[in-house]
Amino acid sequence: MASVHESLYFNPMMTNGVVHANVFGIKDWVTPYKISVLVLLDEMTMSKRMTLVERRRLNKLILPLQQGPDLSLGQLLKTVDECCPMTAYAVKLRLHVMADGELKDMESFFDTLPSPFSDLESEAYKTSVVGLFMRYMLLAYNKLSFSQVYKLYTSLQRYYHSHYLGAPDSKPGPPAVAAEETDMELTNTEDTMEGKLEKEELDSPPLRFSELLDEDAPSRGPLSQKQAEYFLARQAYLLKNDENKALKPAALQEELNNMLKFNPDFAEAHYLSYLNSMRVQDIFISTHSLLHYFDRLILTGGEGKSNGDEGYGRSLRYAALNLAALHCRFGHYQQAGLALQEAIRIAQESNDHVCLQHCLSWLYMLEQMKGSDSTVLTEDSVKMAAHFCLPYLASLGIQSLVQQGAIGGKTASKLMDALKDTDILHWKHSLSELIDISLAQTTSIWRMYGKSTMAQQQAQLLLNMNSLEPVNFGVQQNNTEPFAVALCHLAELHAEQGLYGAASEILTHLKEQFPPHTQHAKLWMLCDLKIQFDRAMNDGKYHLAEPHVTAIAALNQTEGLYRKALVLKAQNQTTEAYKILQQLQLQCEKTRCTETIIRVMLATAELHWESSGFATALPLLLQALALARQHHLQALASETILHLAFSQMMLGIPEQALNILHEAMESILAHGAVIDKGRALLLVAKCQIAMAGTRPGEERRAGLEMAVQTLEEAAAYFSKLDCKERLRDVHYLQARLHNSLGQIPQRNKCAMLFRLLDQELPSSGAPLVTRL
């Protein structure tokens, strides 16, 4: 079966007028480098000894070799040799015959070149990419005068000897050749025009092939129009799909500045500078570049007239819309609102419904960022987008409604039904970017609802799904925000189960795919810090957890405040912790962050425990439980039930505590973290001990033995996390129980384990009896 790349030869539909105009310019076709590529293509079309794997590898090189900047002969042969050594040797041999022979050898090569078009067995179709390249080369060569043909031949000799044989008296390749090859244009056959040189091409050294595909280093010197367009298209694609493979922000900006120095009116370069500045959150350069992009677009008439609309007005309204999006990105909501109003006004005057729909989408997003209720605006946006057949905007609106519904407490079934409808829309219109966003959103929703198994399944589905985006420039996976979100969820889920090694490997992969300078790096940074903080807190090493609080607060102020309160509470600084928790609750009530509100209530209840205010904590816990059930937050509801059961046990009603514990045990054991499983079993054991104390003889002994078994299960979970502080509590209770049961060897063993951990860890702030 023919591969996708083989259609470059066979399928005439792979090329159209636009591709021809952008890829196959008339100028600078007949150069020594292009002759070398032509020899390679001729060898590929005529060779019958090439394997299928080698042919596919070479097919992947065709467009980069044709569209990219000129390479030296050594680089070209090295690249071909990596794909097919036999073909590289054949190309070298044919170039050797031409360069070390006479002018007639080069003429003979061009004379025999049309044979693929007349040969019925040839693989080059006349309207394919390869066929068009050969036809352009032949047409350009036939238009050359005799003196130009001779200059081309001497350039070929210099190109061959300087780059392959390394002649000491030769200047380095293409820059020296450019002086004689830039005047060989199809429309210029006059001898009087032969002396004209283009300073840009005369001074520009060749780009290495590693720069063409691997982006190891930026190009130097001015580029031709074709090279510049290819460079900008490649970098823009990589910034969208795999930012890690694009040039570093500083290197890319240097290259763009160099490009704009020779052509200040190059609008596309200004827009790429805007995208590059957004990577590093540079508000000044990004605004400057965006305004310059639309200025150049208007001045050069790049918009023209489209669908009856005047290009000037269209540029203005989309410039205002982009400026509003820029201010939204940086949190300048007032400036964003003003720019958005301007875009809406101009779009209404021009009766541009598509632009108005984009403005409406940004309007409800702006309201969401401000913390306002934008449900009505979002619903109107979805209806209008569907009316004007804009599936992308309609799907974005539905996904926004799903997100608002999840925050507002909608049931999972309703949200999943809505996402299912959008998925049908995505697959129908091949909206691969929205497919990724939908899967990442589903993962987050399941995680929020406490269904860790479903969240893990959705994350794996996203990571193992083949993208619908064309795989260009060596990009194998779209390293966009949805992939970062899914990987962060997987890392946290593995850490919750005590699989810190697997979580570390996922984070290492995230660091490689999203380096610190990329725009989505803060996702894995926050995830890594949270895992390290939780691990230190579980180990009882609060001095190690404290430095992470500042780093977390720099990335997420709410998370930083909450975790600062946890550290203060663990260090017995009750007053300071209570003040921070109250401040955080007021802040979260304004932003409607229900999850954090419930966590704050649970932490506040634990502060009441330390002053033996178990009855005081009950109303707070009941309010938290009602809020968790109202928003269908199963994980938080189960944790709240644990707190309620502990309070009831401490109030002297362990039977009631054990009854409500059974409601939460199923969900905790199925979806909960390992630390929650251990805490739940430890609480069950405490209730069993409390109930056994009131029973006579054999029933008491049976109850204590059951508690010993439950403690062994809890110890297994805590050992998996290496949670030494909790293990110390478990070993203490085990020693007391074995002593009550008369099991002296087991008592001594548990007592020894308790003593070892007690010597290693600092004294606990809260006594065992008042800690869950």
Side-chain angles (χ1 to χ4, degrees), residues 82-139:
E82 293 174 354
C83 299
C84 181
M86 183 175 61
T87 303
Y89 177 77
V91 171
K92 178 187 67 174
L93 191 61
R94 294 181 68 174
L95 288 175
H96 175 76
V97 170
M98 284 190 283
D100 282 1
E102 299 178 355
L103 180 59
K104 64 179 182 180
D105 295 312
M106 187 180 72
E107 293 179 347
S108 175
F109 166 72
F110 279 97
D111 290 339
T112 58
L113 194 60
S115 60
F117 304 111
S118 58
D119 189 354
L120 296 178
E121 298 181 358
S122 172
E123 297 183 0
Y125 193 82
K126 63 181 180 180
T127 57
S128 66
V129 173
V130 174
L132 285 171
F133 179 83
M134 291 182 171
R135 290 166 63 187
Y136 269 90
M137 285 290 292
L138 283 172
L139 186 60

Side-chain angles (χ1 to χ4, degrees), residues 15-230:
T15 57
N16 51 48
V18 176
V19 174
H20 296 166
N22 293 334
V23 177
F24 302 127
I26 297 299
K27 188 177 179 180
D28 298 337
W29 272 103
V30 188
T31 66
Y33 169 72
K34 288 296 191 295
I35 292 177
S36 303
V37 176
L38 189 61
V39 171
L40 170 63
L41 296 178
D42 186 46
E43 188 66 30
M44 290 172 62
T45 57
M46 301 302 293
S47 176
K48 303 298 181 184
R49 297 175 297 172
M50 200 181 304
T51 65
L52 182 60
V53 175
E54 292 174 338
R55 185 172 297 278
R56 285 178 176 174
R57 290 174 181 171
L58 288 172
N59 286 341
K60 293 180 181 180
L61 293 177
I62 290 177
L63 282 178
L65 290 177
Q66 291 181 11
Q67 295 176 337
D70 290 0
L71 306 176
S72 66
L73 181 58
Q75 294 165 344
L76 176 64
L77 292 177
K78 179 182 177 181
T79 304
V80 177
D81 185 72
E82 293 174 354
C83 299
C84 181
M86 183 175 61
T87 303
Y89 177 77
V91 171
K92 178 187 67 174
L93 191 61
R94 294 181 68 174
L95 288 175
H96 175 76
V97 170
M98 284 190 283
D100 282 1
E102 299 178 355
L103 180 59
K104 64 179 182 180
D105 295 312
M106 187 180 72
E107 293 179 347
S108 175
F109 166 72
F110 279 97
D111 290 339
T112 58
L113 194 60
S115 60
F117 304 111
S118 58
D119 189 354
L120 296 178
E121 298 181 358
S122 172
E123 297 183 0
Y125 193 82
K126 63 181 180 180
T127 57
S128 66
V129 173
V130 174
L132 285 171
F133 179 83
M134 291 182 171
R135 290 166 63 187
Y136 269 90
M137 285 290 292
L138 283 172
L139 186 60
Y141 179 77
N142 292 331
K143 288 289 184 179
L144 296 179
S145 64
F146 176 79
S147 60
Q148 289 176 323
V149 172
Y150 179 75
K151 283 191 174 184
L152 174 62
Y153 178 68
T154 57
S155 298
L156 178 63
Q157 288 181 317
R158 189 180 294 108
Y159 178 74
Y160 177 81
H161 290 293
S162 62
H163 286 281
Y164 180 69
L165 297 179
D169 57 345
S170 303
K171 294 183 181 180
V177 176
E180 293 180 321
E181 65 189 35
T182 52
D183 57 346
M184 298 177 187
E185 301 180 13
L186 179 64
T187 58
N188 182 15
T189 59
E190 298 292 335
D191 291 340
T192 58
M193 299 297 293
E194 292 178 7
K196 288 191 175 181
L197 300 176
E198 294 187 10
K199 186 180 184 299
E200 298 179 16
E201 298 179 7
L202 179 63
D203 297 335
S204 61
L207 286 174
R208 295 196 302 270
F209 192 76
S210 60
E211 298 170 8
L212 186 66
L213 296 178
D214 298 333
E215 311 302 328
D216 291 336
S219 61
R220 291 290 183 263
L223 302 175
S224 67
Q225 182 75 15
K226 178 173 69 71
Q227 292 173 346
E229 289 177 355
Y230 179 70

Side-chain angles (χ1 to χ4, degrees), residues 609-669:
W609 292 348
E610 294 184 6
S611 58
S612 299
F614 299 102
T616 311
L618 283 178
L620 197 61
L621 292 173
L622 290 172
Q623 183 182 353
L625 181 61
L627 198 58
R629 286 178 171 173
Q630 178 185 349
H631 288 79
H632 310 284
L633 305 176
Q634 180 178 296
L636 289 176
S638 301
E639 189 173 352
T640 307
I641 290 175
L642 287 183
H643 284 70
L644 275 172
F646 182 77
S647 297
Q648 289 179 332
M649 184 196 71
M650 297 305 298
L651 289 172
I653 44 176
E655 297 86 356
Q656 182 64 25
L658 198 58
N659 287 336
I660 66 171
L661 264 178
H662 289 312
E663 298 179 18
M665 286 301 294
E666 182 179 352
S667 64
I668 291 175
L669 294 177

Side-chain angles (χ1 to χ4, degrees), residues 360-368 374 377-378 381 396-397 400:
L360 183 56
S361 299
W362 274 107
L363 190 60
Y364 74 70
M365 290 181 65
L366 181 61
E367 293 299 318
Q368 287 181 23
S374 61
L377 276 176
T378 310
S381 175
L396 277 179
S400 180

Side-chain angles (χ1 to χ4, degrees), residues 674 677-686 688-689 704-720 726-727 729-735 737-738 741 743 746-747 749-750 753:
V674 172
K677 296 175 184 178
R679 291 167 64 203
L681 290 172
L682 178 59
L683 183 56
V684 169
K686 289 180 180 180
Q688 291 171 343
I689 294 172
L704 294 179
E705 290 177 349
M706 188 181 299
V708 169
Q709 294 177 357
T710 307
L711 286 173
E712 288 178 357
E713 295 180 21
Y717 285 121
F718 291 139
S719 299
K720 194 173 183 180
R726 302 284 179 177
L727 282 172
D729 296 345
V730 171
H731 293 322
Y732 174 79
L733 289 175
Q734 285 178 326
L737 290 177
H738 286 306
L741 294 171
Q743 300 170 349
Q746 292 88 338
R747 180 202 66 183
K749 178 182 177 181
C750 293
L753 292 174

